[in-house]
Amino acid sequence: MNGRLAPSLPARYFPALALAAAVLAFYARALGRPFTSEDFLLIRYLGEHPPWQGLWAQLSSPWLGISVVKFYRPVSTLLYGIEIAAFGGHPLGYNLVHLLIHGVNVALVWAIVRRLDREAAFTPWAVALLFAIYPLHPNAVVFSASFATLYGAAFLLGSLLAYQGFRESGSWGAWGLSILLFVLALGSYEESAVLPGLLVAYDHLLGMRVAPGRRHAALPLGYLPFFGALGLYLLLRRRIFGVFVGGYDEYSQRLLAPQLRQMAHDLAASIDLLHLPVFGREPSHLGAALGCLLLAAAPLALWWLRRDSLGPLARLWLFAWAWTLAVQVPFAFQPCVPGNGRYWYLAAAGVAMSAVFLARGIFAATRPPWRSLAPAAVGLLAVVWAYLLVADVGTYVEAGRTARTIQGELLREPQGRRIFLTRYPYFLMNGAQVPIAQVYHYGVWDSVQPPFAASRVDVYPLPPLAGAELLPVTLGAPESAVYEWDEGALTIRPFTFEARTEPRPVELQVLGPAAGAAVDPVRDAVEVAVPPGTYAKLRLILVTRINGAVFDLDSSKVVGGRVRAALPVEILQTSDRLYGKGVHYWWIEARDAAGRISGFSRMRSFRLAD
């Protein structure tokens, strides 16, 4: 005996139990949250096309076989497919599993920080708690379609933890586990590509402290194979998509052709919003300035490295900032909103680390009573984040109820009649019209098909239209029902055109293709006669089972009183891929200089040629 008592089992596991209790306390009311948006689409599609069928082909194919978004996610999709096989159309199972994975990720963050900073037992607990209650996490935790974020983060965090074990013990088994988990992370979520950069930061900022006696020159032998695996992954992406960098085209284009001034502005705004995720406000100049000041303080922190007392803490603080910045690179540093808060899931861990490590440094560098302000500031940050999280979880629960209400209204309609639905909410918004939680951004058609309904309802989602904008639909498909969602009454109601209060626009003649025609969207175009003086602006409206879409047309292309418009190939091919060969619709509308609708063609149906 050395005189020290081993901690009792309750004391040993108290941090884990406390973190689990915190996660459950905030998310318990969302466990029964109904599905929304892409949840319906993905569960329906992957239930009909299980990802383990043709698994080898899926390893060399785009996600879901579509290229409109350049995702490569065979691993996370396989795991989600197992969930779908187990839980079908019942949301409780998905919510439980995803909350459990979030809890595992919280535990991994705790374990990583515990190995980063062994001097203070409270530090890993504080970081993990902040990560657990980050306000934007509901988009990843209770929005089932965000499965890739959770699985990818779990593999990435597990890989980093195993790499720490390798550096501390020299175990090549831990190194092999780390690189295996990295490969699984790459097959789960595109953001995982940043891990080799994090390993470089870990080794060269913290490696000498963690593993005394190791020379920096030997460190690359540990992380260079990760860059090799990343290179093979990028080559595979090049073969599949034709590009190395990809995901959402918006972010890819910004990375391939960066505008440094705009990127710096976005980064400053992101730093502000990451720490205080209150939306509906412009990022404050003070917050952006403080963010830039923190980044500019890196040289000062490097100077601190020369001081024995603060050197280790400065290294930890720099590593946390390297983490925060690196995981934002795949999204080109653009600020996100709660409706896509999953983009900052891993960034939240970096922010939590930097806040706690900074507080530790201030605490060590100051004297009583001022030093107590540092942990108090961390506590205040936790209170603010907890308050915001409660509100966001409540909004996500409300979004689920809204989606279920719309689903129920559609299922009450008579069977066998085609329905067109408009003005349903894509997102629930806050007072500043910032998207907080998905409702039916996608998934209207899917929500009234098995496994969510016993019988199928043939419903097509329209763009948000009203009044005369809906005349093309009622005249083009008179045998169908056209409904508007009434948000106030929480019901759907038949559309009726009030001719007495709204003048009827000019009807434009459709020149081709014929109704129901088989169209090659690469070669064929739609064509409408446009009388002179009818228009100042023209728009093509496309309706598919995946969604409705509106495209502005170049008015200068009107030649001889005719306008030809190309059909969007990728959207149509994606719809047929996800829903099978089916009917699509289109029409063209004209608007005057004031933006009022002045003319329209009747809605026409078509199919894609084989």
Side-chain angles (χ1 to χ4, degrees):
M1 298 289 291
N2 58 8
R4 296 179 62 187
L5 295 177
S8 64
L9 282 179
R12 180 181 303 172
Y13 292 107
F14 175 76
L17 293 174
L19 290 171
V23 170
L24 185 60
F26 283 98
Y27 285 98
R29 61 176 171 153
L31 286 177
R33 175 186 182 268
F35 296 119
T36 60
S37 198
E38 288 98 323
D39 294 345
F40 292 112
L41 192 162
L42 294 175
I43 292 171
R44 191 272 308 165
Y45 178 81
L46 291 174
E48 296 172 354
H49 306 84
W52 49 83
Q53 293 181 358
L55 181 60
W56 182 252
Q58 293 190 44
L59 292 174
S60 57
S61 302
W63 181 62
L64 305 183
I66 61 177
S67 58
V68 67
V69 287
K70 296 174 176 59
F71 294 159
Y72 179 74
R73 300 176 176 179
V75 175
S76 56
T77 303
L78 176 62
L79 294 172
Y80 193 49
I82 295 172
E83 290 184 54
I84 293 167
F87 307 127
H90 305 287
L92 177 61
Y94 300 89
N95 293 334
L96 280 170
V97 168
H98 292 185
L99 186 60
L100 176 62
I101 297 170
H102 178 54
V104 168
N105 290 341
V106 170
L108 287 170
V109 168
W110 176 85
I112 288 168
V113 177
R114 183 169 176 266
R115 282 185 160 171
L116 290 175
D117 184 9
R118 296 184 181 277
E119 300 297 324
F122 181 75
T123 298
W125 188 87
V127 172
L129 178 63
L130 286 176
F131 175 71
I133 63 172
Y134 190 69
L136 303 192
H137 281 350
N139 184 247
V141 178
V142 298
F143 180 42
S144 171
S146 295
F147 66 93
T149 300
L150 289 176
Y151 284 121
F155 288 129
L156 182 145
L157 294 170
S159 178
L160 178 56
L161 182 62
Y163 191 83
Q164 288 179 293
F166 158 66
R167 283 305 188 195
E168 292 181 13
S169 66
S171 168
W172 287 102
W175 181 89
L177 175 61
S178 178
I179 202 162
L180 172 62
L181 290 173
F182 175 51
V183 171
L184 294 175
L186 288 175
S188 298
Y189 195 47
E190 293 72 23
E191 190 179 7
S192 304
V194 305
L195 179 64
L198 295 180
L199 298 184
V200 172
Y202 173 79
D203 274 349
H204 292 283
L205 283 173
L206 307 174
M208 298 299 287
R209 180 179 67 85
V210 173
R214 296 179 187 267
R215 295 185 302 172
H216 275 284
L219 294 178
L221 297 177
Y223 58 71
L224 281 180
F226 288 82
F227 282 97
L230 176 60
L232 293 175
Y233 167 75
L234 295 177
L235 287 173
L236 178 60
R237 291 188 58 89
R238 173 76 177 184
R239 178 181 174 276
I240 295 173
F241 300 109
V243 293
F244 292 111
V245 178
Y248 291 110
D249 283 339
E250 174 189 2
Y251 299 123
S252 301
Q253 293 304 317
R254 288 170 62 90
L255 289 174
L256 293 172
Q259 298 180 359
L260 297 182
R261 183 174 181 178
Q262 181 63 45
M263 194 169 284
H265 176 273
D266 290 342
L267 175 57
S270 293
I271 291 171
D272 178 11
L273 289 171
L274 269 166
H275 288 83
L276 187 60
V278 177
F279 295 86
R281 65 180 179 93
E282 286 294 324
S284 68
H285 295 299
L286 176 61
L290 287 174
C292 293
L293 181 62
L294 285 172
L295 289 175
L300 179 62
L302 288 171
W303 176 77
W304 278 355
L305 297 181
R306 301 167 64 184
R307 300 177 55 186
D308 292 337
S309 61
L310 293 179
L313 291 175
R315 290 177 183 271
L316 289 170
W317 182 78
L318 282 174
F319 174 72
W321 270 105
W323 178 304
T324 304
L325 297 178
V327 296
Q328 292 185 76
V329 171
F331 307 109
F333 303 108
Q334 280 194 286
C336 73
V337 295
N340 57 15
R342 60 191 178 277
Y343 299 166
W344 277 354
Y345 186 77
L346 283 171
V351 171
M353 282 189 283
S354 66
V356 175
F357 292 151
L358 179 62
R360 285 259 287 121
I362 293 173
F363 187 85
T366 55
R367 298 179 179 179
W370 304 108
R371 68 192 320 178
S372 61
L373 293 177
V378 173
L380 178 61
L381 182 64
V383 170
V384 172
W385 283 7
Y387 174 80
L388 295 173
L389 176 60
V390 169
D392 280 355
V393 169
T395 304
Y396 272 80
V397 171
E398 183 185 351
R401 291 172 180 163
T402 303
R404 184 171 56 188
T405 299
I406 296 172
Q407 177 192 30
E409 288 290 304
L410 291 171
L411 289 172
R412 275 194 283 272
E413 289 303 303
Q415 298 296 312
R417 192 181 185 193
R418 180 159 295 173
I419 298 172
F420 293 91
L421 178 67
T422 188
R423 301 179 71 180
Y424 56 89
Y426 286 12
F427 292 84
L428 289 189
M429 310 281 194
N430 66 8
Q433 297 303 295
V434 174
I436 305 297
Q438 291 86 345
V439 181
Y440 274 117
H441 187 209
Y442 297 101
V444 170
W445 189 89
D446 309 86
S447 69
V448 287
Q449 315 297 316
F452 311 108
S455 57
R456 299 178 183 272
V457 177
D458 191 13
V459 56
Y460 276 73
L462 296 172
L465 304 173
E469 295 172 328
L470 286 167
L471 283 176
V473 186
T474 59
L475 297 175
E479 74 288 352
S480 301
V482 181
Y483 286 102
E484 301 172 293
W485 167 249
D486 186 333
E487 186 174 356
L490 296 179
T491 188
I492 59 176
R493 63 186 183 193
F495 163 72
T496 55
F497 178 66
E498 297 292 341
R500 291 176 296 178
T501 59
E502 186 175 1
R504 178 166 172 159
V506 175
E507 186 170 339
L508 309 179
Q509 180 187 0
V510 177
L511 302 176
V519 171
D520 180 350
V522 176
R523 185 186 67 246
D524 299 330
V526 298
E527 188 172 12
V528 170
V530 184
T534 304
Y535 64 91
K537 179 181 179 181
L538 295 170
R539 305 199 305 175
L540 168 69
I541 291 84
L542 182 73
V543 179
T544 69
R545 283 171 288 178
I546 192 171
N547 229 339
V550 179
F551 304 91
D552 290 332
L553 303 179
D554 185 353
S555 298
S556 66
K557 300 298 183 182
V558 178
V559 179
R562 300 182 176 194
V563 61
R564 286 174 56 86
L567 292 167
V569 178
E570 276 195 323
I571 292 177
L572 293 170
Q573 291 177 341
T574 297
S575 181
D576 274 12
R577 169 68 183 178
L578 296 177
Y579 295 89
K581 289 284 188 178
V583 178
H584 311 287
Y585 297 89
W586 69 274
W587 71 89
I588 286 177
E589 68 173 30
R591 292 182 176 267
D592 61 22
R596 295 183 296 265
I597 184 167
S598 56
F600 66 90
S601 66
R602 295 196 182 197
M603 184 175 72
R604 281 276 180 95
S605 64
F606 70 97
R607 298 175 180 269
L608 295 191
D610 294 330

